[in-house]
Amino acid sequence: TYRGIEAGKVLFLAFPKLHTGVCRYPLGMSGGQIQDEDISASSQWSESTAARYGRLNFEEGDGAWCPEITVEPDSLKEFLQIDLRSLHFITLVGTQGRHAGGIGNEFAQMYKIKYSRDGSRWISWRNRQGKQVIEGNRNAYAIVLKDLEPPIIARFVRFMPVTDHSMNVCMRVELYGCEWLDGLVSYNAAAGEQMSLPAYSAYLNDSVYDGAVSHSMTEGLGQLTDGVCGLDDFTQSHDTHNVWPGYDYVGWTNESFSNVEIMFEFDRIRNFTTMKVHCNNMYSRHVKVFRQVVCYFRSEADWEATPLSFSPVEDVENPSARFVTVNLANHMASAIKCQFYFADAWMLFSEITFQSDTAMYNTTLAPPKSGLTPDTQPKDDPTHKVDDSNTRILIGCLVAIIFILVVIIVIILWRQVWQKMLEKASRRMLDDELTASLSIQSETFAYTHNQSSTTSEQESNSTYERIFPLGPDYQEPSRIICKLPEFAQSSEEPVQDGAPHYAEADIVNLQGVTGGNTYAIPALTMDLLSGKDVAVEEFPRKLLTFKEKLGEGQFGEVHLCEADGMQEFMNKEFLFDIPEDLPVLVAVKMLRSDANKNARNDFLKEIKIMSRLKDPNIIRLLAVCIYSDPLCMITEYMENGDLNQFLSRHEPEGQLALLSNAPTVSFNNLCYMAAQIASGMKYLSSLNFVHRDLATRNCLVGKNYTIKIADFGMSRNLYSGDYYRIQGRAVLPIRWMSWESILLGKFTTASDVWAFGVTLWEILNFCKEQPYSQLTDEQVIENTGEFFRDQKRQIYLPQPVLCPDSLYKIMLSCWRRNTKERPSFQEIHRALLEIQP
Ligand SMILES: *[C@@H]1O[C@H](CO)[C@@H](O)[C@H](O)[C@H]1NC(C)=O
Ligand SMILES: *[C@@H]1O[C@H](CO)[C@@H](O)[C@H](O)[C@H]1NC(C)=O
Ligand SMILES: *[C@@H]1O[C@H](CO)[C@@H](O)[C@H](O)[C@H]1NC(C)=O
């Protein structure tokens, strides 16, 4: 589920399909995918502050990496180094100091980054203005994320603390990005030139090139691989960069060259499918897409004799910049040399990407990268594969022999007891089927947990590999960033602004047990809650009659049941609500008996918390069955079902409803229901509970338009379209989620307020339309990026026909970019009570 996810994980989840996705996945310091041996340092203060403790959000050892001696101004001796084992595209870094449960108070106020692709040539990172020093932490606990503009393409990264006075420094870090599937290690070309325009000059040099630059550029990567596409008008640049005209492009003129030769070197021999060149085509300024390109391939020592040539169609109608795709026809190469011919006086490129077959084919041909010292050889270095093959044959033989033996044994057994076997087998198959469908379920919830939680450990360890398919979807990180060019501003925003620092790390994760959540609760509140004992009674299981399945999660299900004799179990305050002697409708959350211990503990915790929630607008826990398995939690259910279905069946009052004879709900009653939701949320937020899935589908309707907020989890088939399924696994209600929940993984009361705005919108539309129904899931996520950038390009949900301006204003205030500017539930509740049609 999307609940209880660390910031990084959501970045991860949020963009899977935007292939795309903005490449901002945590690379494994906090998640543990980076092995201890791949984290090293210049020195360590003690064994318990060794490099391996420099993992973001980890509290092991003494809580961070600390170098041996005090860091002095201007001495750049100390560093924490991470080996990613292969080239990665790194877009974001996170740092944190040493907190160690309050004992530590060391952090790096500033740091620099160095990186290397081969382990020998180290390059100092600078931002687009040439500045090397990055502002770091201000305290020992908060995580500070900084976008790397330009991004880094490297295998090795060093964090080097910098200070302005001598001080003790400790660091925990994380890198965010994705694997660099282009495999490009460097490009060499003639240096870009300067174009004189009537009023000024455009500087078409490669301003972020990280190799040597004199007359030509060698051994580096830069503007052509920074993931930022130039604009149609090359003299303009993305405003955030604050740079000179022509910044995003590298350009050459036919005055100096007959053609431009660019040589591309790759990490190994690859099977190339295409090359995409992002070209400017502003023909009014004599800039055009190249007329022809001729490419030569080198796989071993020599260049192939026959080059490949391609001529795009000349376009003098459309001046927009575009990607020109060159088919590389499955040539095998570790280097490609392309000559681009002029179609006009100028040729301007801003990005070049390569698509190659990333599957493991005969990689033994790949020469080990020069400069790699033996001890930095990647574990999975292709050259090791040779030895592997023998082992594999051996293992293959053994497996075959075992298989034959098994077959023989089976045949013997079959003869003797085939009848029994058959019976058993068929039973087992049934079981397997069940387990299989369950495990699919469980994958859906694999993201539930952070370190503080719950569900099985294996799942978390494998998430990294899993979500990293080397499929074509992930080949072009740069493309996506082209889509979201200025995504990179969050640098000023520490992850946990506003929230108390424990909130993110210590959220007690109660969700996922039944797929329904309860609510996310900061640990402090938990302590308050655990003061008293559970005040709910055991209910005799046999008095429950199953009616319908409402939802389902990793370890459990939610059933709609009738309960006989429930009246005895309910507090007096409920009694007036319920006719005597009739069976009562209840929702029963059930923990499967095969659930693991963690899930059981969580379930019991959930009971404890639910039993404390007492508000007329929150679903109440009525009773439990915990004396025997399966554990059950019996909560109220209301006769009119959920608000979404309820409103879908109804029409606004008016002519149309009269004609169709449909049941109606008056505007006042809509407001009344909305106010009750706000009131319930006011109660939850007063306890610091975050709901995370507020929507009409999670509100129940009783008699006389009474509303109670519930949570059925995300697996109700009826609403599967409301959740964004990531690679068929994690699910997120993205259409209800605030931008910061999607992009930063922050779930707070303010993000509940956002969801409330969407819920209000649903209500005013009588739930006849899904929010943003005209947008695809991917477009919704892109729109989230627009909310983040806040350049007036974001799309808001439109004002519903029925909705007066005053009410729409409330919705809009819920969707304010700045969380602090959103109203509280208290304010919303008050405002709703004052609404007049
Ligand atoms: C590119 O041109 C700009 C503007 O003249 C200059 O400031 C910058 O140093 C140049 N960059 C390189 C890498 O040559
Ligand atoms: C390159 O990839 C294509 C498509 O996957 C495949 O058909 C072709 O055989 C590969 N070429 C080599 C030399 O492996
Ligand atoms: C450069 O291209 C322009 C436009 O095609 C042409 O007029 C000019 O003669 C070319 N210059 C050279 C040196 O080839």
Side-chain angles (χ1 to χ4, degrees):
T1 74
Y2 51 94
R3 299 153 204 285
I5 296 166
E6 302 145 273
K9 288 253 171 71
V10 165
L11 297 176
F12 208 55
L13 297 172
F15 302 100
K17 267 215 172 148
L18 275 187
H19 0 294
T20 92
V22 180
C23 164
R24 292 161 79 86
Y25 311 122
L27 295 180
M29 287 296 277
S30 45
Q33 294 87 1
I34 294 175
Q35 302 294 312
D36 282 349
E37 71 243 37
D38 292 332
I39 310 170
S40 55
S42 50
S43 69
Q44 64 194 41
W45 187 74
S46 69
E47 194 45 46
S48 55
T49 58
R52 64 176 181 280
Y53 298 113
R55 296 173 182 272
L56 198 83
N57 252 336
F58 259 55
E59 293 284 352
E60 254 121 78
D62 270 343
W65 162 70
C66 311
E68 186 179 3
I69 46 165
T70 314
V71 173
E72 304 290 342
D74 308 321
S75 90
L76 272 179
K77 277 190 293 208
E78 305 296 345
F79 60 81
L80 177 64
Q81 175 176 326
I82 299 158
D83 177 0
L84 295 167
R85 295 268 171 197
S86 63
L87 291 179
H88 279 73
F89 191 81
I90 302 159
T91 54
L92 185 70
V93 292
T95 57
Q96 200 178 9
R98 187 179 84 93
H99 188 49
I103 305 164
N105 190 29
E106 296 86 10
F107 52 93
Q109 292 171 313
M110 293 175 284
Y111 60 96
K112 291 187 185 181
I113 285 182
K114 279 197 176 186
Y115 61 93
S116 173
R117 287 186 275 275
D118 58 11
S120 64
R121 191 170 75 92
W122 289 88
I123 305 157
S124 296
W125 179 85
R126 351 176 140 249
N127 73 5
R128 294 192 188 275
Q129 282 74 40
K131 205 175 147 220
Q132 290 187 22
V133 175
I134 303 174
E135 292 290 321
N137 300 86
R138 300 232 178 92
N139 55 46
Y141 47 84
I143 298 170
V144 173
L145 294 178
K146 291 288 177 182
D147 285 281
L148 295 178
E149 270 293 341
I152 290 174
I153 295 162
R155 176 181 151 180
F156 303 92
V157 179
R158 281 180 185 171
F159 287 82
M160 318 180 75
V162 176
T163 59
D164 50 12
H165 59 278
S166 143
M167 67 184 280
N168 290 322
V169 165
C170 299
M171 289 185 93
R172 286 179 282 172
V173 304
E174 176 65 289
L175 300 168
Y176 302 81
C178 54
E179 202 169 351
W180 176 235
L181 295 171
D182 281 34
L184 189 60
V185 179
S186 73
Y187 59 80
N188 302 343
E193 300 180 285
Q194 180 178 336
M195 183 197 289
S196 302
L197 297 167
Y200 52 89
S201 287
Y203 297 95
L204 300 167
N205 60 4
D206 192 332
S207 30
V208 298
Y209 193 72
D210 62 15
V213 187
S214 52
H215 293 295
S216 62
M217 306 186 271
T218 48
E219 296 275 306
L221 294 173
Q223 206 90 66
L224 297 183
T225 53
D226 72 347
V228 178
C229 296
L231 300 177
D232 294 349
D233 178 353
F234 62 89
T235 62
Q236 309 288 312
S237 4
H238 299 289
D239 39 3
T240 49
H241 294 165
N242 184 20
V243 285
W244 53 84
Y247 179 87
D248 289 318
Y249 284 94
V250 185
W252 304 269
T253 161
N254 68 348
E255 299 292 327
S256 327
F257 305 96
S258 62
N259 66 63
V260 174
E261 182 174 288
I262 309 182
M263 160 104 141
F264 304 94
E265 307 247 16
F266 297 86
D267 53 351
R268 58 176 165 82
I269 298 183
R270 289 170 172 257
N271 181 344
F272 286 96
T273 51
T274 49
M275 166 173 76
K276 295 186 182 179
V277 186
H278 190 258
C279 309
N280 193 276
N281 196 44
M282 202 176 177
Y283 47 80
S284 57
R285 297 242 187 244
H286 302 290
V287 178
K288 275 201 200 129
V289 170
F290 54 89
R291 172 171 57 83
Q292 192 194 15
V293 60
V294 178
C295 291
Y296 296 81
F297 299 88
R298 189 187 69 196
S299 55
E300 280 164 273
D302 300 319
W303 291 96
E304 268 177 40
T306 44
L308 177 151
S309 152
F310 170 76
S311 306
V313 187
E314 188 175 356
D315 182 354
V316 287
E317 321 248 278
N318 180 356
S320 49
R322 79 273 320 263
F323 270 107
V324 175
T325 304
V326 180
N327 184 352
L328 297 181
N330 289 113
H331 274 272
M332 303 288 292
S334 64
I336 302 179
K337 180 170 70 182
C338 292
Q339 291 155 352
F340 295 88
Y341 289 85
F342 291 88
D344 207 322
W346 284 89
M347 224 162 25
L348 268 55
F349 301 155
S350 77
E351 281 294 300
I352 300 186
T353 69
F354 288 88
Q355 291 69 46
S356 58
D357 187 350
T358 50
M360 289 303 267
Y361 40 88
N362 191 4
T363 50
T364 52
L365 289 174
K369 271 312 297 171
S370 58
L372 267 190
T373 52
D375 62 9
T376 56
Q377 284 270 353
K379 261 193 211 152
D380 53 358
D381 186 284
T383 47
H384 289 247
K385 292 278 188 269
V386 194
D387 317 342
D388 273 354
S389 60
N390 281 337
T391 327
R392 272 199 212 139
I393 292 171
L394 224 127
I395 291 172
C397 289
L398 282 175
V399 168
I401 291 168
I402 291 169
F403 181 74
I404 291 168
L405 283 174
V406 167
V407 168
I408 291 170
I409 292 169
V410 166
I411 289 173
I412 293 168
L413 284 177
W414 191 23
R415 282 213 183 134
Q416 290 181 354
V417 284
W418 76 276
Q419 187 95 34
K420 264 188 202 162
M421 280 290 290
L422 219 68
E423 241 178 66
K424 255 191 203 158
S426 64
R427 207 180 300 148
R428 191 172 313 136
M429 242 156 72
L430 214 74
D431 280 357
D432 280 352
E433 237 163 59
L434 277 174
T435 332
S437 67
L438 268 176
S439 68
I440 290 169
Q441 267 301 332
S442 72
E443 280 182 0
T444 310
F445 295 98
Y447 306 101
T448 313
H449 72 301
N450 49 32
Q451 291 123 358
S452 68
S453 86
T454 63
T455 47
S456 62
E457 220 57 72
Q458 311 88 287
E459 272 163 9
S460 80
N461 291 341
S462 56
T463 42
Y464 180 76
E465 291 91 66
R466 288 234 203 103
I467 308 202
F468 250 88
L470 297 175
D473 275 4
Y474 284 81
Q475 294 201 359
E476 291 161 273
S478 38
R479 256 252 227 94
I480 294 351
I481 299 172
C482 295
K483 275 197 198 160
L484 291 167
E486 314 90 4
F487 183 70
Q489 305 157 345
S490 66
S491 26
E492 291 318 309
E493 210 158 347
V495 189
Q496 297 157 345
D497 68 332
H501 73 267
Y502 60 81
E504 210 115 64
D506 296 349
I507 279 181
V508 176
N509 201 348
L510 302 160
Q511 294 75 35
V513 173
T514 51
N517 63 337
T518 39
Y519 313 96
I521 298 165
L524 281 190
T525 317
M526 261 302 280
D527 291 343
L528 295 180
L529 283 169
S530 55
K532 289 176 276 169
D533 276 318
V534 179
V536 279
E537 289 184 60
E538 179 79 8
F539 187 78
R541 200 181 291 276
K542 57 180 186 294
L543 298 181
L544 293 172
T545 319
F546 173 82
K547 289 197 61 155
E548 196 184 316
K549 189 152 113 186
L550 292 173
E552 175 169 33
Q554 183 177 8
F555 294 118
E557 295 183 350
V558 185
H559 291 175
L560 178 62
C561 293
E562 276 178 355
D564 284 317
M566 183 51 90
Q567 284 81 352
E568 291 170 33
F569 289 84
M570 294 203 274
N571 291 338
K572 306 237 159 31
E573 51 203 297
F574 284 112
L575 279 178
F576 66 90
D577 234 12
I578 285 147
E580 278 196 40
D581 303 334
L582 287 179
V584 180
L585 275 184
V586 292
V588 180
K589 280 190 175 186
M590 220 183 310
L591 186 72
R592 306 176 49 84
S593 39
D594 59 348
N596 62 26
K597 216 171 145 197
N598 281 338
R600 289 178 72 90
N601 283 340
D602 281 358
F603 196 81
L604 294 174
K605 254 189 234 161
E606 185 172 345
I607 288 177
K608 221 170 187 175
I609 285 159
M610 282 290 287
S611 69
R612 306 262 182 266
L613 292 181
K614 297 220 164 103
D615 185 84
N617 299 117
I618 303 285
I619 280 293
R620 185 82 65 98
L621 180 66
L622 300 175
V624 293
C625 316
I626 47 176
Y627 292 168
S628 64
D629 274 341
L631 302 186
C632 290
M633 202 184 306
I634 304 171
T635 65
E636 293 177 275
Y637 194 76
M638 314 252 272
E639 62 251 42
N640 283 321
D642 73 58
L643 181 58
N644 189 292
Q645 288 177 60
F646 178 79
L647 284 178
S648 309
R649 289 194 299 266
H650 287 73
E651 295 289 338
E653 280 178 333
Q655 208 59 36
L656 205 72
L658 278 180
L659 289 175
S660 65
N661 204 17
T664 61
V665 180
S666 70
F667 177 80
N668 281 337
N669 281 328
L670 291 182
C671 286
Y672 173 54
M673 291 193 286
Q676 291 177 75
I677 300 175
S679 174
M681 291 306 296
K682 189 171 81 179
Y683 173 75
L684 280 188
S685 65
S686 73
L687 295 174
N688 278 333
F689 287 20
V690 181
H691 186 292
R692 303 184 192 216
D693 194 12
L694 182 59
T696 52
R697 62 180 171 274
N698 275 328
C699 297
L700 291 180
V701 186
K703 258 195 238 106
N704 299 327
Y705 306 105
T706 52
I707 296 278
K708 290 182 189 228
I709 300 169
D711 191 335
F712 295 103
M714 297 140 289
S715 35
R716 281 185 295 173
N717 282 337
L718 191 54
Y719 298 112
S720 60
D722 288 347
Y723 295 92
Y724 179 44
R725 219 158 250 285
I726 289 154
Q727 308 275 320
R729 296 186 203 102
V731 282
L732 299 168
I734 51 171
R735 289 163 201 270
W736 281 259
M737 278 164 75
S738 66
W739 70 266
E740 76 273 10
S741 300
I742 294 183
L743 298 181
L744 303 173
K746 282 167 60 170
F747 291 90
T748 56
T749 295
S751 57
D752 275 351
V753 166
W754 181 295
F756 178 85
V758 180
T759 307
L760 193 54
W761 183 90
E762 288 186 273
I763 293 174
L764 271 294
N765 274 311
F766 276 76
C767 299
K768 302 282 193 276
E769 192 190 332
Q770 197 190 32
Y772 303 110
S773 57
Q774 77 282 14
L775 302 187
T776 63
D777 286 344
E778 287 72 21
Q779 286 167 331
V780 169
I781 291 171
E782 270 178 66
N783 193 36
T784 303
E786 296 297 347
F787 270 106
F788 170 76
R789 283 192 289 270
D790 203 19
Q791 293 170 343
K792 307 269 178 289
R793 286 198 298 252
Q794 64 270 49
I795 303 168
Y796 289 89
L797 289 168
Q799 182 167 1
V801 183
L802 276 181
C803 179
D805 290 346
S806 52
L807 200 50
Y808 190 53
K809 244 167 74 194
I810 299 180
M811 289 182 205
L812 290 177
S813 67
C814 294
W815 304 324
R816 287 193 185 132
R817 181 185 187 279
N818 187 341
T819 50
K820 295 194 187 92
E821 287 170 15
R822 291 178 206 155
S824 66
F825 279 113
Q826 212 149 4
E827 289 162 337
I828 294 173
H829 183 232
R830 206 176 316 129
L832 284 174
L833 294 178
E834 286 163 9
I835 291 287
Q836 300 297 330

